[in-house]
Amino acid sequence: MKHIFVLLTTTFLFVKNGQAQEVIQRKFEKMGSSFEITLVHSNPIYAQQLIDESIAEIDRIERLISSWDKNSQTSLVNKMAGIRSQVVSKELFDLILRANTIARLTDGAFDLSYASVDKLWSFNREEITPPSPSVVEASVAKIGFEKIKMDTEKQTVFLLEKGMKIGFGAIGKGYAADRVKSLLLEKGVEAGIVNASGDMSAWGTQPDGSPWQVGLINPLNKNKVFSWFPLLNTAVVTSGDYERYLLMDGKRYGHIINPKTGYPSQGVVSCTVFAPKAELADALATALFVMGSETGIDFIDQLPNVEALMITDNGKIIASKNIDLDENI
Ligand code: AMP
Ligand code: MG
């Protein structure tokens, strides 16, 4: 996502304990979005190999959670909706379990099963004729995380009703960013940032010891960063309506669906969440869009180790209680 980016304040080469530490960066396209991996390492050739391994890991995750790939485990779960349970890998099972925990926590604002209404809307930045209310209602009836039955012993997932579907659009990139960070940590990389199209997982510091900095841009005023935040072993994720949206009666609606109504969300243009893991931040950023700014920030204020900042379509910036905007601007 374009209104969030990282500031590198150090030169790309820095000597630490007698060893030259370099900042190695690569941009690439995956999961239909742009990724960027930034590593601090003394061996740039090895660092490039690690980026290759990271890309292979992202491909693997995409094959697991993709709804486009007819043979993915996710597609099989969807195909068997209303028919029977489907055995899945432990990894996918656990991801769905965690997603359902967030669904419960957000009272269904984030819900993997939103996907049954996905086909009703196309977010091509154009004016559309809305589907008839009865069609929307029929699709909404298929939504409901409590109808995703999971059997821990058998490691199966069963979507109870025909026509139900799950989709990982709101959590997949965050999960991928976390996985790549873990992989790189296991390989001994002491510092870096994985940026999955604005879903960022950071660890360590820049070579000179200063923290990574992330800049937020107000989509309503794209020319300047309105706030800088240090990233200290945290993840930061932004959901925005500026890339995928549609117009109805000249009004703008973002690509996040309110699972209770089946209609696209309105009112929030950008939502940034800071959390220990990108997966959690990703799911919460999507949920906040549905909750709206006031309910959303109230909700975040009840959670430990999570902060958020939202921008409404009338230009209001609202932040959770531990963010001091004056200090960060
Ligand atoms: P994000 O950019 O992380 O907010 O994800 C947005 C994407 O998540 C959309 O393009 C959909 O694929 C999916 N999505 C939309 N609405 C919801 C929802 N209420 N709960 C879960 N996923 C959703
Ligand atoms: Mg999300």
Side-chain angles (χ1 to χ4, degrees), residues 69-81:
D69 176 353
K70 286 195 181 69
N71 298 314
S72 74
Q73 291 187 29
T74 303
S75 294
L76 292 178
V77 168
N78 287 338
K79 213 161 104 187
M80 289 304 141

Side-chain angles (χ1 to χ4, degrees), residues 37 39 50 54 180-189 203:
I37 295 181
L39 304 182
L50 292 179
S54 303
V180 170
K181 173 180 166 181
S182 303
L183 182 151
L184 293 168
L185 274 171
E186 272 165 34
K187 303 278 178 174
V189 179
W203 70 105

Side-chain angles (χ1 to χ4, degrees), residues 40-304:
V40 178
H41 211 280
S42 55
N43 181 343
I45 295 170
Y46 180 57
Q48 289 292 352
Q49 275 174 26
L50 292 179
I51 294 177
D52 290 339
E53 283 181 40
S54 303
I55 293 173
E57 175 65 358
I58 297 165
D59 279 334
R60 190 191 66 75
I61 293 168
E62 193 169 10
R63 281 195 297 274
L64 186 69
I65 64 176
S66 164
S67 323
W68 305 109
D69 176 353
K70 286 195 181 69
N71 298 314
S72 74
Q73 291 187 29
T74 303
S75 294
L76 292 178
V77 168
N78 287 338
K79 213 161 104 187
M80 289 304 141
I83 301 171
R84 64 165 170 77
S85 57
Q86 174 69 37
V87 178
V88 296
S89 65
K90 171 107 173 67
E91 182 180 9
L92 188 63
F93 188 89
D94 290 346
L95 180 62
I96 298 173
L97 262 190
R98 293 195 301 274
N100 284 347
T101 303
I102 301 172
R104 246 188 316 279
L105 194 69
T106 61
D107 195 21
F110 166 87
D111 188 333
L112 291 180
S113 70
Y114 89 93
S116 63
V117 301
D118 224 10
K119 62 181 181 303
L120 299 184
W121 307 100
S122 48
F123 298 97
N124 296 330
R125 312 176 198 195
E126 287 165 3
E127 179 76 32
I128 60 143
T129 312
S132 80
S134 59
V135 170
V136 179
E137 245 169 63
S139 289
V140 171
K142 308 284 176 200
I143 300 178
F145 63 91
E146 60 296 318
K147 292 186 287 198
I148 305 173
K149 284 285 165 231
M150 319 231 358
D151 184 321
T152 311
E153 243 160 60
K154 295 189 185 134
Q155 217 169 280
T156 56
V157 184
F158 184 19
L159 308 182
L160 290 181
E161 289 178 24
K162 247 200 147 92
M164 274 183 83
K165 257 178 95 177
I166 53 172
F168 293 90
I171 197 173
K173 287 199 283 288
Y175 176 60
D178 286 339
R179 281 292 316 145
V180 170
K181 173 180 166 181
S182 303
L183 182 151
L184 293 168
L185 274 171
E186 272 165 34
K187 303 278 178 174
V189 179
E190 285 174 14
I193 305 177
V194 184
N195 182 349
S197 192
D199 291 15
M200 301 209 268
S201 235
W203 70 105
T205 63
Q206 300 188 59
D208 69 350
S210 62
W212 304 109
Q213 297 277 345
V214 61
L216 303 186
I217 290 170
N218 183 341
L220 303 173
N221 177 14
K222 285 190 187 150
N223 300 324
K224 75 173 212 292
V225 168
F226 74 89
S227 203
W228 288 102
F229 293 90
L231 281 185
L232 299 161
N233 209 13
T234 40
V236 56
V237 169
T238 296
S239 278
D241 81 341
Y242 40 87
E243 271 171 353
R244 299 188 61 223
Y245 62 87
L246 53 77
L247 301 164
M248 281 190 279
D249 283 336
K251 276 197 217 136
R252 189 174 159 134
Y253 293 78
H255 63 139
I256 291 167
I257 306 278
N258 182 338
K260 301 259 169 14
T261 64
Y263 283 84
S265 61
Q266 213 199 0
V268 178
V269 291
S270 163
C271 183
T272 300
V273 175
F274 296 82
K277 293 270 182 154
E279 176 190 314
L280 175 66
D282 197 358
L284 290 178
T286 305
L288 291 189
F289 243 85
V290 174
M291 290 176 165
S293 54
E294 277 179 25
T295 314
I297 294 293
D298 266 2
F299 165 71
I300 291 294
D301 279 339
Q302 329 274 323
L303 298 179

Side-chain angles (χ1 to χ4, degrees), residues 6-39:
V6 178
L7 175 72
L8 293 167
T9 52
T10 49
T11 53
F12 273 55
L13 196 65
F14 202 86
V15 179
K16 189 177 163 193
N17 304 329
Q19 260 196 329
Q21 297 287 314
E22 288 191 41
V23 176
I24 297 107
Q25 261 183 331
R26 200 194 303 174
K27 277 194 177 129
F28 52 91
E29 293 287 317
K30 283 287 159 202
M31 295 178 143
S33 326
S34 51
F35 276 66
E36 183 174 52
I37 295 181
T38 306
L39 304 182

